[in-house]
Amino acid sequence: MFRRSINNDSSNASRFWALNKAGYFDDYPGFVKLSDNPDVKMAAYKLADLVSNMTIHLMENTDGGDRRIHNGLSRKIDINPCKGMTRKTWIYNIVTNLLLNGDGNSIVHISIDPETLLIKDLTPFDMDYVEYKHKKGEMYIKYKDDDYHMDELIHFVTNPDPSQPWKGRGFRIELGDIVKNLNQANKTKNEFMRSNYLPNLIVKVDALNEELASKEGRDRVKDKYLDSDKAGEPWVIPADLLEVEQIKPLSLKDIAINESVELDKKTIAGLLQVPAFFLGVGNFNKDEYNNFINTRVMSIAQTIAQTLTRDLVLSQDWYFRLNPRSLYAYNITDLVSAGGAMVQMNAMRRNELRDWVGLDPDEEMEELIVLENYIPVEQLGDQEKLKGGE
């Protein structure tokens, strides 16, 4: 792979640069960066954390089924894809770029060792400095001061743009107004909590009293009847002059801030396709969580796996797959029950079940075991009981 120098400008470059550096398009004044909103970040970081926990398997299609391959390529992707990074931090960066910083895109540069001609590093780009350009019908990437052909890059995409499906669009437009509403609600709440202009007492006074006509007079009445040197000392006031009432200041519930915020959080959760309880709305639900793993998390995992396969694998029989098994909400009873059934059906060794529950292998549990009345289907007619035998 060699870096290509292509001198060409794009009419969209300045607008894209404005979005990355300032957080808005000229077409959308006042756009709020998704990465500045804590609720959006909570959802994106949870997705990135879950996807990055999945091991990356290099698989091979065979006549007997798909099998996992262990070689230098599989180790490179799953263990040390880039210098100074693990697979978890590498995938975490890719997913956060897809959802927050890259506007639905994440770019990784492929560097080749000139001596071995093997992959040296897969380096993620800072999406704030990425520009998309075209020349003679081909797209390339300008990153800082260098131009890169797409053959030198891995381009991950989520939520494709309808007019340019090769490029992601992200969720900036859909979430823009909601993020602004949440930010404004937070500002209102902070100002409300800091406000000190709401009194906790209202004192009714005789408005016809000449002494109350001026501020000095009102201060003298307050000092005379309401001030006390000792905490808890009762007030003695004239019944015909003053009447004291206690009031409760407005709460966030009274001004419907909580309901509005909760609705906006549910909308964010719906757009990003995460359970609302990740954003503090509602309670944890195991079935909803497992469905979330099967749908949203696996959707992002498929995007990453298919992109890696397209850009890194030459063999037609190989492909990458991300393994989700460790992400599900299992308990020890579920694992033992499912694994025990597979052991009884001769579909699993007992040591594999021990690995599921975190135990070391046992030499005596390596053999396959079956019940005596489990026989191959072609031997059903050989049973003695069908021939009149005991």
Side-chain angles (χ1 to χ4, degrees):
M1 300 287 179
F2 295 96
R3 188 176 302 170
R4 301 183 183 181
S5 178
I6 304 176
N7 295 320
N8 185 32
D9 197 8
S10 170
S11 60
N12 292 326
S14 60
R15 294 177 66 250
F16 187 86
W17 189 260
L19 169 67
N20 283 323
K21 304 304 289 182
Y24 59 86
F25 272 122
D26 291 339
D27 298 346
Y28 302 98
F31 177 75
V32 180
K33 293 178 67 175
L34 299 184
S35 57
D36 288 341
N37 181 266
D39 295 293
V40 176
K41 287 197 291 186
M42 284 171 59
Y45 290 166
K46 186 62 177 180
L47 280 166
D49 184 59
L50 289 171
V51 176
S52 62
N53 282 337
M54 302 166 70
T55 55
I56 304 176
H57 296 174
L58 179 60
M59 307 297 294
E60 181 182 19
N61 297 123
T62 68
D63 293 338
D66 295 351
R67 300 180 183 275
R68 185 179 179 184
I69 302 175
H70 298 275
N71 59 18
L73 178 59
S74 65
R75 176 178 175 81
K76 182 64 181 175
I77 301 303
D78 193 47
I79 304 300
N80 59 335
C82 183
K83 184 178 181 180
M85 302 181 73
T86 63
R87 179 251 304 157
K88 180 173 178 61
T89 55
W90 188 70
I91 293 293
Y92 194 101
N93 176 270
I94 290 172
V95 178
T96 52
N97 277 337
L98 288 174
L99 299 176
L100 294 179
N101 305 322
D103 199 34
N105 301 274
S106 184
I107 305 293
V108 173
H109 176 247
I110 307 170
S111 61
I112 304 297
D113 189 321
E115 296 182 358
T116 63
L117 299 181
L118 299 177
I119 297 175
K120 181 179 180 181
D121 278 316
L122 301 172
T123 308
F125 278 176
D126 183 347
M127 297 303 295
D128 282 349
Y129 299 96
V130 169
E131 298 179 57
Y132 300 92
K133 294 189 174 184
H134 290 83
K135 183 179 181 181
K136 296 180 180 180
E138 291 190 9
M139 187 185 78
Y140 66 96
I141 297 295
K142 182 174 183 180
Y143 181 66
K144 297 183 179 179
D145 295 327
D146 298 314
D147 296 329
Y148 297 88
H149 192 269
M150 296 307 295
D151 290 341
E152 304 173 76
L153 307 170
I154 306 175
H155 183 194
F156 300 94
V157 173
T158 189
N159 194 21
D161 191 316
S163 60
Q164 303 177 86
W166 48 266
K167 186 174 72 171
R169 184 180 61 177
F171 302 93
R172 56 182 174 81
I173 298 177
E174 294 87 346
L175 291 176
D177 289 338
I178 301 172
V179 168
K180 286 191 291 185
N181 291 343
L182 283 172
N183 289 342
Q184 184 59 49
N186 286 332
K187 291 180 181 178
T188 302
K189 181 177 69 175
N190 292 335
E191 290 296 328
F192 187 88
M193 299 302 293
R194 287 199 303 261
S195 64
N196 54 7
Y197 53 82
L198 291 175
N200 56 6
L201 288 177
I202 290 182
V203 179
K204 293 183 179 180
V205 298
D206 184 0
L208 299 179
N209 193 310
E210 295 181 358
E211 190 175 13
L212 300 175
S214 64
K215 181 179 183 305
E216 293 77 8
R218 291 192 294 271
D219 288 340
R220 285 195 298 271
V221 172
K222 185 178 67 172
D223 293 340
K224 180 177 180 181
Y225 296 108
L226 304 181
D227 282 354
S228 175
D229 295 333
K230 297 180 181 180
E233 184 177 358
W235 291 339
V236 179
I237 58 176
D240 56 347
L241 179 63
L242 303 176
E243 181 181 351
V244 179
E245 292 186 5
Q246 184 177 3
I247 65 168
K248 293 178 61 177
L250 289 175
S251 66
L252 295 175
K253 188 177 180 75
D254 295 326
I255 58 178
I257 287 290
N258 288 340
E259 289 78 4
S260 174
V261 168
E262 183 173 312
L263 181 61
D264 286 339
K265 287 187 176 186
K266 287 182 177 179
T267 305
I268 288 177
L271 285 171
L272 295 179
Q273 301 175 48
V274 303
F277 53 74
F278 283 156
L279 304 183
V281 180
N283 299 318
F284 174 81
N285 183 286
K286 179 180 176 181
D287 293 335
E288 183 180 1
Y289 173 81
N290 286 335
N291 181 66
F292 161 67
I293 298 297
N294 283 329
T295 54
R296 180 56 169 156
V297 173
M298 283 306 300
S299 175
I300 298 177
Q302 285 280 46
T303 296
I304 294 174
Q306 292 179 9
T307 305
L308 291 174
T309 301
R310 179 197 65 192
D311 294 340
L312 295 179
V313 175
L314 298 179
S315 173
Q316 295 182 357
D317 296 326
W318 292 5
Y319 66 94
F320 283 106
R321 182 183 72 183
L322 274 69
N323 182 20
R325 189 172 66 84
S326 62
L327 302 184
Y328 293 104
Y330 296 119
N331 57 46
I332 192 69
T333 304
D334 295 334
L335 292 175
V336 172
S337 177
M342 294 185 69
V343 168
Q344 292 180 13
M345 292 185 297
N346 201 24
M348 173 186 281
R349 301 178 188 274
R350 286 171 291 171
N351 272 337
E352 294 177 279
L353 174 56
R354 289 174 65 87
D355 179 65
W356 277 17
V357 297
L359 297 176
D360 293 335
D362 189 319
E363 294 180 358
E364 299 180 358
M365 296 190 178
E366 188 60 27
E367 294 182 351
L368 293 169
I369 61 173
V370 293
L371 294 175
E372 61 182 4
N373 53 348
Y374 287 145
I375 61 175
V377 64
E378 62 270 13
Q379 296 181 8
L380 290 177
D382 298 336
Q383 299 179 81
E384 292 295 332
K385 65 182 179 180
L386 298 180
K387 300 177 181 179
E390 295 182 0

